[in-house]
Structures are given as structure tokens and as C-alpha cells.
Amino acid sequence: MGRGRRHHRDKSGMKGKALEGVVISGIAAGGKAIARVEEKVMFVPFAAPGDVVDVQVRKSKASYLEGVITHIRTPSPDRVEAFCSHFGICGGCQWQHLPYDKQLEFKHRQVTDSLERIGKADLSGVEVLPILGSEHSRFYRNKLEYTFSNRRWLTREDIGSGEVIDDMDALGFHIPGYFDKVLDIEKCWLQEEPSNEIRLAVKAFAREQGFSFFDLRNGVGLLRNLIIRNTPQGELMVIIVFSALDEGPREALLGFLKERFPRITTLAYLISDKKNSSLSDLEPVIYHGRPYMVEEMDGLQFRIGPNSFFQTNSLQAARLYEVAGEFAALEGHELVFDLYTGTGTIALFMASRARQVIGIEYVEEAVVHARDNAALNGLFNVQFFAGDMVKILDEVFLQKQGYPHVVITDPPRAGMHPGVIKQLLNTGADRIVYVSCNPATQARDIDGLSPRYKLVKVQPVDMFPHTQHVENVALLVRK
């Protein structure tokens, strides 16, 4: 018998069913609202606790349902009007219908729930500090990446108009769950001007010149991506990703941007004929200006190139690093390990407060940038090592470099490898400061460290208003 795809039959008969008067009771860890229907949890996006809604079931599983709102019968007292016309279609923001103070409340609860349920932590003896909200809940991002597409998402208004749609080109964001559908964006509230002005000007010029927008299904078309980066100090970087070395259109578009927006600090392009959309392995070409921007933070300078990683909320990043510094409680004599150091931002923040800082990162290009940033700031008590964290952080490395007094770790969303946790248990560090963008994996890792380390302090930080994402800084001390 051939091995075909398994089809899981909906035994409950709930899929596609229209439900009336569903009461939304809370917010789940993934950001969707939750309700109880026939003893099952149902996840509903863009709902608010207290809403009474009609829902259509889109997915039915053994233990849960997923549905979408078809009508709001009674809005929650906490529901507010979204300020973006794209809200509910664009996947960038999930919580614009919630007041910002409520968003912070739910994020704080997400952190504590994860620590208690996943990390098995008793928070009665832990100092859980109030979440640090973002001073700016709009226009707070310093980087946005837009996608060109010749197959734009048709909104309900487009379909309901009954008109023939001739303009199918889009420059915007991917629709969640559809790799080949892009929502054309009129105004995004996440990055300050001239971000919107640049995007709209690029689209208008490209259409006027007849340049082809990328076909995400078939992998053809000249224009693939537009990336805009900025700094609080006013520097501006614009990157265009082309699919081919077509000099005429490339020179025309880049020349237009240079003339139209003279404040651009760095104007660059990339050529990508790959099937996937990854850019980190491509070599940027500087068309105009410096090969980098300079971001200033807490008296430090950081050079940011077209492929550099940098926290996308600069002002909140500074607060996040200050919290990490307070938790580290450095007195000047310590050896500090900064794991998953990236471009060395946290390591450089700690360098002036410690005897020596060692940063470890698996991306070699990031380590090159980290070393450049250390030299730029005249910090010579910092060393950076590139490679697999599990392989580098072994007993030989510890004996050669020294056993750290303090470890700071800021892993990706997946958290730390079990082998890294095992090695941390053997370092004998007095303190571990764990910075995380995923409270669930952080809680899991804290439980893994619990044989020798006690959780004593927690500080949630909101880096991304109007989304379900939350950062958390946890302090663990040796038992």
C-alpha cells in the first residue's frame, strides 16, 4: 500500500460550524483570545476578553478548536478602535484592539504563567517587577522589510466592489499563512517617516517604469524586497533586493532614490536569484553613502551594515540592557561570559563595568561586527569567539579562559541547547542573567538550571507594542 498523506477526519463535526454568542474569556500565550466551547478551548484571533461574538470554526482538533469572528454582538469594555486600516489582515500587529495598559497586563501574565507552569517556579519568593512598557507604542521600530509581489491580496472591499482589478502589484507584508500573498500597504504605523514615503515612492516609480514585481510562486520578476532602517539620531539606510543583474532598471531606481531622498545615509542593493528569501549570505553593494549607519546607545556607538543584526526597538533595547546590567551587579573585578552575543551589544555594555568580557556567538559574520564595534568604542577587555555554543563552551575552554563570575545569556526563541545548560551548571558562576524573547523556553531552561541556581528576580520588558511578543530578564543566583 502506498504511503499517502493522512487525512484526519473531524469526528466532532465542528469544522465550518457557525457558533453564536461565544464569550471570550482570556488571552492565550500565543496572543490569540480563548473561549470555551463544548468543553474544548477555542482560539480566536483579534478578540478581546469580554467580547460576545459569533464565530466560524476553521479548525477542529481533539483538544482544541480555532475560529474567526464573523460578528461582534457585544464588544468588550476593553475593546478599542484599531488605528491602522490594515489591522486584522496584516500580520504585523495582533493587539491594536486592546488598550496598551491591557496589553502590558497580558504580557506580564504570560511571563509569570510560563515560569509557574513550565518552569515549575514558586514565585512567592521571587521579586517580579512590573513590566517596562515602551515609551513609544507607535513608530518604534528601526527596521522594516517589505516584499514586492505581482499577486497582491484582495481585500473584502476589493472583492465586494465588483470592479475588474487591473493593479495586482503590491509592496507590503506577507499575509500570515500564505507565502505567495502580500498585502499592499498604504501606511504602516511601526516606523517613522520617511519610511512610508519611501515605500510609496518606490512602488509608484517602479510601476511607472514598468519594472516587474516578483512572482513568489514561479520565482520570476525583477524586484524582490525593500528594506528600510533608521536610527534615533536620524540616519537612514535603504536596501533594494533585485533578482537579477539588470543594470538599467537598477540604476534608474537607485538613482531616483538618491535624488528624491538626499537624507539617505546608506543606499545599497543585493542580488538574489535564490528560491528562498534569506539575505544574510548575500554580499551587499553600496550604491551611495557609507557602508554602515551608526547607532548610539548609552554612550556607545554601533556600526550597522545592511546585513547586521540589531534590536529593532532602539530605545527599549537600551532599557533592556540596563536591566541586564543591574541584575549582573558588576563591581569591576569580574570575568563575564556573554552567550549568544550577536554583534556584541550586551558584551560592550558590560565591558566598562567588568574586568573582562567574553562573547560567544555561532554566526561568524556577527562576531566580525562585534569585534569592529569593540574597536570603535576603544574597548579592549572584550574577546569574541565564533562557533557552536555546545562545542566551544567545554571544560577545556573554561580552564583556558577562566571560570566566569557572571554569565549573561540571550539565546534565540528556541532557548538554550541542553548541552549548554549542562555546561552552565559546571561553570560555578555566581549569577546568571537570562535575557529571553520567549518566556516559555526561558522557563524551561530555568527549570533545567534549578539544581544549582535559584530564580530571585524577574523583569518583563515590552519591545513590541501591539504584538503578543514580550522580552523577559531573569536573575538566577548560585545556591
Side-chain angles (χ1 to χ4, degrees):
M1 181 180 293
R3 283 183 155 182
R5 181 180 297 174
R6 293 184 179 181
H7 296 278
H8 297 278
R9 186 175 298 174
D10 175 22
K11 296 180 181 180
S12 68
M14 293 291 289
K15 186 176 181 180
K17 190 174 181 178
L19 306 175
E20 298 182 348
V22 175
V23 178
I24 303 298
S25 58
I27 296 287
K32 295 179 181 178
I34 55 175
R36 285 278 177 179
V37 176
E38 296 186 6
E39 298 185 356
K40 285 186 179 181
V41 173
M42 181 163 68
F43 299 99
V44 185
F46 309 118
D51 279 343
V52 180
V53 296
D54 296 342
V55 176
Q56 184 179 42
V57 179
R58 291 288 178 87
K59 185 180 292 186
S60 178
K61 298 293 184 181
S63 58
Y64 70 93
L65 305 171
E66 291 185 8
V68 294
I69 296 175
T70 56
H71 176 66
I72 299 176
R73 289 177 172 247
T74 306
S76 165
D78 292 328
R79 178 177 279 275
V80 296
E81 192 72 26
F83 50 82
C84 179
S85 62
H86 302 300
F87 178 68
I89 307 172
C90 165
C93 300
Q94 302 85 32
W95 282 1
Q96 281 189 23
H97 62 297
L98 297 171
Y100 189 50
D101 62 335
K102 284 293 179 181
Q103 295 181 29
L104 295 177
E105 179 184 321
F106 293 137
K107 292 185 182 191
H108 191 276
R109 190 181 307 162
Q110 180 182 338
V111 169
T112 56
D113 285 352
S114 294
L115 289 170
E116 289 177 330
R117 296 176 183 177
I118 301 172
K120 307 181 186 69
D122 178 6
L123 297 183
S124 61
V126 177
E127 185 179 1
V128 182
L129 299 169
I131 186 170
L132 289 176
S134 179
E135 182 180 345
H136 302 285
S137 62
R138 304 180 188 183
F139 306 118
Y140 60 83
R141 287 185 65 99
N142 58 35
K143 178 184 178 183
L144 282 179
E145 181 174 335
Y146 299 101
T147 298
F148 291 91
S149 173
N150 68 344
R151 199 187 304 269
R152 74 176 176 89
W153 180 261
L154 297 180
T155 65
R156 289 182 179 179
E157 290 75 17
D158 290 329
I159 297 171
S161 69
E163 299 177 359
V164 177
I165 307 295
D166 293 322
D167 178 12
M168 289 299 291
D169 288 336
L171 180 54
F173 300 125
H174 283 271
I175 297 291
Y178 295 89
F179 82 95
D180 61 336
K181 298 293 185 183
V182 172
L183 178 68
D184 193 49
I185 298 295
E186 287 296 324
K187 179 176 181 177
C188 179
W189 295 77
L190 295 180
Q191 188 177 35
E192 65 180 15
E193 295 296 355
S195 179
N196 285 299
E197 188 182 352
I198 290 172
R199 186 192 64 258
L200 294 173
V202 166
K203 184 190 175 188
F205 182 81
R207 285 186 52 75
E208 177 187 298
Q209 298 295 316
F211 299 160
S212 57
F213 287 34
F214 202 64
D215 186 322
L216 291 156
R217 286 186 185 178
N218 300 309
V220 296
L222 177 66
L223 301 174
R224 296 191 65 156
N225 299 97
L226 166 67
I227 302 165
I228 303 173
R229 307 183 77 154
N230 66 311
T231 72
Q233 293 77 35
E235 298 202 1
L236 184 65
M237 176 182 290
V238 179
I239 306 158
I240 303 287
V241 183
F242 299 91
S243 66
L245 285 165
D246 199 337
E247 184 176 355
R250 185 180 74 238
E251 290 293 317
L253 179 53
L254 294 171
F256 163 76
L257 280 168
K258 178 184 175 182
E259 182 178 350
R260 176 74 178 273
F261 300 97
R263 61 169 288 191
I264 293 176
T265 309
T266 303
L267 181 58
Y269 67 90
L270 298 166
I271 305 295
S272 174
D273 59 359
K274 302 187 300 180
K275 292 184 178 180
N276 63 57
S277 59
S278 64
L279 303 175
S280 59
D281 59 334
L282 301 176
E283 186 67 30
V285 180
I286 305 302
Y287 177 83
H288 169 71
R290 294 199 312 256
Y292 55 82
M293 298 187 307
V294 178
E295 173 85 78
E296 296 181 11
M297 190 182 293
D298 196 35
L300 297 171
Q301 292 188 332
F302 299 92
R303 289 182 178 176
I304 302 170
N307 285 341
S308 298
F309 169 79
F310 200 78
Q311 285 281 6
T312 50
N313 185 338
S314 299
L315 298 179
Q316 279 298 87
R319 298 180 76 188
L320 181 77
Y321 299 151
E322 279 302 319
V323 171
E326 291 171 9
F327 281 17
L330 300 174
E331 297 177 351
H333 63 85
E334 297 91 350
L335 171 61
V336 178
F337 280 9
D338 179 27
L339 309 187
Y340 311 94
T341 191
T343 54
T345 315
I346 294 180
L348 300 187
F349 262 76
M350 302 302 160
S352 63
R353 316 177 191 190
R355 173 175 58 83
Q356 185 179 15
V357 180
I358 292 177
I360 306 175
E361 167 62 38
Y362 67 94
V363 179
E364 290 190 13
E365 183 182 9
V367 168
V368 171
H369 290 302
R371 290 169 179 156
D372 289 344
N373 285 326
L376 177 66
N377 289 281
L379 296 170
F380 303 107
N381 62 334
V382 187
Q383 284 185 282
F384 294 101
F385 296 86
D388 188 323
M389 194 74 60
V390 178
K391 295 179 180 177
I392 288 182
L393 191 63
D394 58 13
E395 192 61 30
V396 174
F397 184 87
L398 292 171
Q399 289 182 7
K400 183 176 181 180
Q401 302 299 331
Y403 290 82
H405 300 90
V406 176
V407 172
I408 299 172
T409 181
D410 185 7
R413 290 191 62 80
M416 294 190 292
H417 187 281
V420 175
I421 294 175
K422 182 179 178 181
Q423 281 302 103
L424 283 181
L425 292 172
N426 295 330
T427 61
D430 297 319
R431 291 174 173 240
I432 296 176
V433 180
Y434 192 143
V435 181
S436 174
C437 61
N438 187 342
T441 54
Q442 183 190 46
R444 178 203 66 201
D445 293 347
I446 288 174
D447 182 47
L449 293 165
S450 63
R452 294 188 184 177
Y453 288 91
K454 178 184 179 182
L455 178 66
V456 297
K457 191 181 290 189
V458 171
Q459 175 66 80
V461 181
D462 183 26
M463 302 286 286
F464 303 105
H466 311 300
T467 77
Q468 79 274 20
H469 299 295
V470 60
E471 301 263 341
N472 188 49
V473 187
L475 172 61
L476 298 93
V477 299
R478 184 159 51 93
K479 292 180 178 179

